[in-house]
Amino acid sequence: MKGFEIFTAIEELDNESKYLIHKAKEAAHAAYAPYSKFHVGAAIILEDGTVVTGSNQENASYPLCMCAERVALYTVASQHAGQRIMKMAIVAHKKNHKELSAAASCGACRQVMAEFEERQHKPFEIVMHHTDNQWIKCHSASSLLPYVFTKGSLED
Ligand code: THU
């Protein structure tokens, strides 16, 4: 199967993805983004159905800003250790804009997603808003980062 699918309307997505998108939109309300004014929300569903969310958190010292995806992923590791991640949805919008912006995860988040996937020995899906009401569903984090650097690279 190809690494990803494109959907041209949210209605075409499965119900779980739609629900996670809804939770990601809610999460984006908690973004703290006074510098970029770019509000991002991420929602992760675990194997037992628990949903964990995150939003981007910025800082006057810009390099300390943290992306929504990593806030959500590290919350899973800290509060739901051992639970498998099934799917993650990501949305973004500019401050005071109703319509969504493209929510392409940055390279750092893709790297972290890949390590979470390696930790659980099972892929998880990533649903991201593209442009013009299109949605991208990736079948695994590794498909977002080919030839990824992993802990295997550090072994003797
Ligand atoms: N941001 C995310 O939350 N996720 C990404 O994958 C890309 C960027 C945030 C970081 C920063 O607060 C703002 O968006 C602008 O880069």
Side-chain angles (χ1 to χ4, degrees):
M1 197 197 286
K2 239 179 15 178
F4 64 92
E5 289 167 87
I6 295 190
F7 298 83
T8 51
I10 193 166
E11 293 76 26
E12 292 176 13
L13 284 161
D14 60 282
N15 286 338
E16 187 181 70
S17 295
K18 284 190 258 195
Y19 173 62
L20 269 192
I21 288 165
H22 164 73
K23 298 303 273 182
K25 282 181 182 167
E26 276 183 0
H29 289 132
Y32 175 66
Y35 307 105
S36 71
K37 300 180 174 34
F38 192 70
H39 296 227
V40 187
I44 292 171
I45 189 158
L46 304 177
E47 60 189 328
D48 71 351
T50 303
V51 174
V52 175
T53 61
S55 54
N56 55 327
Q57 301 297 322
E58 299 188 345
N59 192 280
S61 176
Y62 292 179
L64 303 184
C65 295
M66 182 53 68
C67 295
E69 294 92 320
R70 277 177 284 160
V71 170
L73 286 163
Y74 292 143
T75 302
V76 169
S78 308
Q79 298 188 352
H80 303 275
Q83 278 266 352
R84 180 180 164 198
I85 295 173
M86 306 302 290
K87 189 182 299 204
M88 178 179 207
I90 305 141
V91 302
H93 66 87
K94 297 184 184 123
K95 190 180 175 200
N96 298 329
H97 284 223
K98 272 216 180 79
E99 66 280 12
L100 295 176
S101 300
S105 291
C106 75
C109 288
R110 293 178 195 215
Q111 175 74 27
V112 172
M113 286 178 204
E115 184 136 344
F116 270 77
E117 204 166 74
E118 196 189 20
R119 280 166 74 167
Q120 66 178 26
H121 307 293
K122 289 263 169 52
F124 62 88
E125 291 187 330
I126 300 128
V127 178
M128 301 187 290
H129 182 248
H130 191 36
T131 49
D132 302 327
N133 207 27
Q134 292 185 55
W135 296 85
I136 303 175
K137 189 197 272 185
C138 303
H139 299 301
S140 67
S142 57
S143 67
L144 282 174
L145 201 60
Y147 309 110
V148 60
F149 180 74
T150 65
K151 74 175 163 51
S153 319
L154 298 170
E155 283 161 7
D156 288 336

